[in-house]
Amino acid sequence: MEMDGVLQAADAKDWVYKGEGAANLILSYTGSSPSMLGKVLRLKKILKNKSQRAPSCIVFSSHEQLLWGHIPELVESVKQDCLAQAYAVHVMSQHLGANHVDGGVRVRVSRDFLELVEKNVLSSRPAGRVNASSIDNTADAALLIADHSLFSGNPKGSSCIAVEIKAKCGFLPSSEYISEDNTIKKQVTRYKMHQHLKFYQGEISKTSEYNPLDLFSGSKERICMAIKSLFSTPQNNLRIFVNGSLAFGGMGGGADSVHPADTLKCLEDLSKISGLKLPDFTELLSETIFRSEVLGNLLATQKLDDHDIEGVIHLYYNIISQPCLVCKNLTDVELLRKYTFLHSLPLDKSLKIVRDFLISATAKDCSLMISFRPRENGSTDSEYDSVFLESVKRTYEYKVYYCEIWCRFTFIF
């Protein structure tokens, strides 16, 4: 879907910085146009280091056609430059649930609008992001999505608190194709390994105690423990919005840190607005995650990767019909036997395994936005699910959406 009209330079003043990921920058609308109220705009970014591959592509290679050609909407979206939208709607929503994925609508943008927005938000962006990437001012369209840190038609006087969690990979791989040298992958989460790498490289001052396995455990006690760890060291894995404005957490940089004083102020503000102290808020969030099915869907999608990259790489060589460089110098007879089996698989099987691996990679890096508001006394008719918080004897409505679903639709073709 596409919205009529074009965003021009005069419209830039109505859009403010909300956050960003590796591939996109998010703007929040502050103007008065009814069609834009309660919306965010997702703009594509480009890497400043030209030696790096851009996070997204404009055309499908012949091998990508093999992978995704069975989905006509994806092929057509490449021609229309709306692949991210089509990927969310026609691929990820099939796994994560259509009612939790917002594909948005395309809106045309002028170069003047993009250049002015880039200038306006520069001071709000994390330095690391500024150095690494910029808004793609050659794009002619952006994606307009509902701001899921808010409720539409929020009752007057009612506050909305939204929590964004980048949950990361919630399982340990058990693939038989993982070599003995890399068995640590079967024992330690990839999140923890990345934490130690970031600490070693000086990107973070201390490693996080957060364990994704706790969040995905299905145990309310372990979920609560995971949330407490996220509060302790949020980095870019936890952010809190109050009425759509960021109140706690980083602005999108991977090494963001939150000063203890900021944590204290956020908790005080949350208490004033919602009447909830930290234990109450943690209980509300834990109970919602425990009762909701969204983490189950997310974990099932992540587990589509049942071969690990060490197995999938061989299927990649099957698809491109080239000799496998991994097997070339391999001396482990047992591994070579296993990899030889992979190379004997028919093309359609190779394509499915690689495709599932890419869908899993998207699920391992997307975020959850969980929004809450107190239910009005006496109200029973609502489109939203609800949870009763025993400690304060109050019912809260909630909604859950996946965000940052950017296209990991290509391998290394």
Side-chain angles (χ1 to χ4, degrees), residues 101-235:
V101 175
D102 183 359
V105 297
R106 291 178 78 236
V107 57
R108 295 168 62 203
V109 293
S110 69
R111 185 169 187 137
D112 289 343
F113 170 80
L114 294 173
E115 290 176 346
L116 192 50
V117 161
E118 173 102 71
K119 179 181 176 182
N120 291 348
V121 304
L122 189 62
S123 61
S124 300
R125 298 180 64 199
R129 295 292 195 191
V130 172
N131 294 335
S133 60
S134 59
I135 292 174
D136 181 3
N137 59 26
T138 66
D140 63 359
L143 205 55
L144 190 69
I145 307 171
D147 186 345
H148 293 296
S149 66
L150 296 168
F151 282 84
S152 59
N154 211 38
K156 188 174 181 181
S158 177
S159 296
C160 173
I161 298 174
V163 182
E164 182 183 355
I165 298 175
K166 190 175 280 287
K168 294 301 185 179
C169 183
F171 73 99
L172 293 174
S174 57
S175 170
E176 62 178 306
Y177 303 109
I178 295 175
S179 68
E180 192 172 327
D181 290 343
N182 296 325
T183 52
I184 190 173
K185 291 198 288 187
K186 298 181 178 182
Q187 303 157 3
V188 180
T189 65
R190 54 185 273 155
Y191 178 75
K192 186 171 184 177
M193 287 190 283
H194 283 156
Q195 282 287 299
H196 283 278
L197 177 62
K198 288 180 178 181
F199 180 77
Y200 176 78
Q201 294 177 337
E203 294 181 30
I204 54 176
S205 58
K206 68 174 182 176
T207 57
S208 173
E209 295 178 5
Y210 168 61
N211 183 349
L213 302 186
D214 289 333
L215 193 71
F216 286 90
S217 66
S219 160
K220 190 175 172 182
E221 290 74 19
R222 290 181 65 185
I223 292 170
C224 187
M225 187 163 56
I227 292 168
K228 289 178 179 177
S229 298
L230 286 169
F231 265 105
S232 176
T233 48
Q235 295 184 17

Side-chain angles (χ1 to χ4, degrees), residues 318-335:
N318 289 358
I319 293 171
I320 65 173
S321 302
Q322 290 186 14
C324 178
L325 298 182
V326 180
C327 293
K328 185 178 180 181
N329 299 312
L330 194 63
T331 57
D332 187 317
V333 176
E334 180 60 21
L335 268 182

